[in-house]
């Protein structure tokens, strides 16, 4: 899938599509609230207008930063693997292929697939253990 050519879909090269939405579109045609009223208690219920169920907590910024750092460490660990190990772990643990599918795709034996996957997972695990140990010591 490439970029559209000039004139394709009515767009010219270099033309930008508007991404703004009028403020008025945030409300119903009657000017009412944009909120889903079904999520709140009725006027005759105890605590009218309050949440029926408490919304899920938003993720803490610290947790999001840590998750991002861990993803970066995993990506670096995967990049450092030998090509065959990286391919096997990617197919199995990221793409969700079965061991049989990996063997068929790579034309390898089940034993070889298990060895490559074990070595790849061990290398990634070692890198993450080192990262978490370093983070623990510096905290």
């Amino acid at each position: 899938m490439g970029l559209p050519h000039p004139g394709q879909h009515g767009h010219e090269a270099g033309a930008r599509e508007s991404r703004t939405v009028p403020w008025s579109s945030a409300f119903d045609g009657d000017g009412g609230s944009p909120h889903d009223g079904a999520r709140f208690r009725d006027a005759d219920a105890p605590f009218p207008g309050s949440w029926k169920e408490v919304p899920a907590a938003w993720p803490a910024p610290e947790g999001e930063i840590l998750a991002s750092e861990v993803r970066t460490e995993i990506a670096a660990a995967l990049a450092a693997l030998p090509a065959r190990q990286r391919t096997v772990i990617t197919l199995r643990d990221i793409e969700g292929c079965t061991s049989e599918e990996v063997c068929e795709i790579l034309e390898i034996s089940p034993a070889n697939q298990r060895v490559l996957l074990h070595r790849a997972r061990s290398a990634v695990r070692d890198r993450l253990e080192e990262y978490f140990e370093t983070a623990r010591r510096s905290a």
Side-chain angles (χ1 to χ4, degrees):
M1 173 181 241
L3 295 173
H5 296 289
Q8 187 177 10
H9 302 296
H11 300 286
E12 294 298 320
R16 292 188 57 135
E17 190 176 312
S18 175
R19 303 241 190 259
T20 60
V21 177
W23 175 249
S24 60
S25 70
F27 301 98
D28 297 333
D30 64 359
S33 171
H35 300 291
D36 177 10
R39 297 186 307 169
F40 302 99
R41 296 181 193 274
D42 295 328
D44 59 343
F47 309 108
S50 64
W51 295 100
K52 286 182 180 177
E53 293 183 28
V54 177
W58 291 357
E62 298 84 5
E64 291 297 305
I65 291 169
L66 178 60
S68 176
E69 289 176 0
V70 170
R71 283 191 297 272
T72 299
E73 284 297 315
I74 292 170
L78 291 171
L81 292 172
R84 297 290 275 185
Q85 289 179 21
R86 183 174 52 251
T87 301
V88 170
I89 197 170
T90 300
L91 288 171
R92 286 294 308 276
D93 294 346
I94 298 172
E95 299 297 327
C97 294
T98 65
S99 57
E100 294 81 14
E101 291 169 329
V102 173
C103 291
E104 185 177 324
I105 291 168
L106 300 178
E107 299 178 347
I108 58 176
S109 70
N112 191 8
Q113 187 270 161
R114 281 191 303 273
V115 168
L116 290 168
L117 183 60
H118 173 73
R119 289 179 181 167
R121 285 177 174 168
S122 293
V124 172
R125 185 180 314 109
D126 289 348
R127 174 108 180 211
L128 288 175
E129 285 175 353
E130 182 180 309
Y131 167 77
F132 285 116
E133 180 59 29
T134 302
R136 186 187 64 76
R137 280 193 305 247
S138 64

